[in-house]
Amino acid sequence: MTVTAGQHQPFTISGGPTGLLAPGNSVPINLQLTNPGNSSLNVTGLTVSVTGVTRNAQAVANNRPCNPSDYSVTQFSGNYPIAAPPGNSSLSSSGIPASRWPQITMLDTSLNQDGCKGATLQISYSGTGQGN
């Protein structure tokens, strides 16, 4: 008998705010989990961070700043592990209420935040998957 270990394929995490951000406003992120394997994964340790901001042309031309420090992230507060079946799933399809999803908040600061209008956020995701 020959036993060959299968090659592990990484799962991916993606998602974005489910609404528009404005100073003082928080929006949840319905994380999408893509499991390329043939069996379910138990996912733990989900983290989300804002790693960059791309301002629109008008904000750049008028030297209006906006950067990751204009935002904060509240991490996932649901129970672990999260089952990620083969294929695509999400926090919502896993029955996790939006109140437990990660949230991005645009901070309401005393500085002019017009540079954040129409900006695109670069978001980084991490987590650990353990096969069943």
Side-chain angles (χ1 to χ4, degrees), residues 40-127:
S40 186
L41 292 174
N42 286 324
V43 176
T44 58
L46 291 174
T47 60
V48 176
S49 59
V50 177
T51 57
V53 177
T54 302
R55 297 173 294 149
N56 67 28
Q58 183 179 10
V60 172
N62 291 307
N63 199 29
R64 293 185 183 137
C66 183
N67 57 61
S69 66
D70 286 299
Y71 302 90
S72 69
V73 177
T74 302
Q75 300 299 331
F76 175 76
S77 64
N79 295 322
Y80 287 116
I82 300 167
N88 298 316
S89 62
S90 65
L91 295 180
S92 64
S93 69
S94 297
I96 299 169
S99 62
R100 300 289 185 191
W101 301 353
Q103 292 190 32
I104 293 180
T105 301
M106 182 177 176
L107 302 175
D108 190 3
T109 69
S110 61
L111 302 174
N112 183 331
Q113 294 176 292
D114 287 349
C116 295
K117 290 180 181 177
T120 302
L121 302 180
Q122 286 78 51
I123 303 172
S124 176
Y125 308 94
S126 66

Side-chain angles (χ1 to χ4, degrees), residues 13-25:
I13 306 168
S14 60
T18 58
L20 296 176
L21 289 164
N25 186 34

